[in-house]
Amino acid sequence: MRARAATLGDLEDVFRDLSRRMTEEYVAAGKDSKIAYDNLMMNLKEGRAHALVQGDKTVAIVAWHENSDAADTLFAAQEDFFRAATVRFCRRHIRHIQALAGNLPIHSRSWLRGADVARWFHVIGYVETGQENGATVFELRPAA
């Protein structure tokens, strides 16, 4: 797996075959895929979105935006993204995003419940910091 700057085509490819769990996440957040697409598009236009590519296929888009005290992530993926090897790649890549965001803490949210969701974030290096608007907030603390 590798990452590169995301393009409009990458975003369209991911949303053409969006995983069911991502659709469920958006619904649980009170949004739909169109709103998620628009939010990711805004970050893409501002140069803050990466395509995660496996072979020649874009399987996910991760975007971020900085606030005063942290960088928040946005995410969309196809089912092919959700594999064990992906976690190892994401552990390294989220630190790269953190460096691009000025070594701020990274905040990611999940509206889905389940041990597999929390485990995935913990393996990457996040710690659970609480709830916000029905979502569990995970934080990746700044690199030392």
Side-chain angles (χ1 to χ4, degrees), residues 21-89:
R21 68 183 90 193
M22 292 306 310
T23 302
E24 291 170 355
E25 177 90 22
Y26 300 150
V27 168
K31 300 177 179 176
D32 62 22
S33 1
K34 173 71 172 120
I35 292 169
Y37 180 97
D38 291 345
N39 289 338
L40 283 160
M41 175 65 80
M42 182 178 65
N43 285 278
L44 187 150
K45 287 181 177 180
E46 294 173 354
R48 294 186 314 253
H50 287 166
L52 304 183
V53 182
Q54 194 158 4
D56 291 333
K57 182 181 179 189
T58 301
V59 295
I61 302 286
V62 61
W64 65 95
H65 60 276
E66 297 90 357
N67 295 313
S68 59
D69 62 343
D72 293 310
T73 62
L74 301 163
F75 185 71
Q78 296 179 342
E79 197 58 40
D80 289 348
F81 172 81
F82 298 99
R83 300 173 192 256
T86 306
V87 175
R88 289 188 297 277
F89 175 81

Side-chain angles (χ1 to χ4, degrees), residues 1-19:
M1 182 165 279
R2 63 187 172 86
R4 61 171 167 70
T7 66
L8 175 59
D10 294 324
L11 188 60
E12 290 173 352
D13 286 347
V14 169
F15 274 83
R16 190 174 301 114
D17 191 21
L18 192 64
S19 80

Side-chain angles (χ1 to χ4, degrees), residues 118-138:
R119 185 173 51 251
W120 191 85
F121 278 106
H122 291 134
V123 167
I124 291 174
Y126 283 86
V127 294
E128 193 172 319
T129 60
Q131 302 286 312
E132 179 181 291
N133 298 324
T136 302
V137 179
F138 296 93

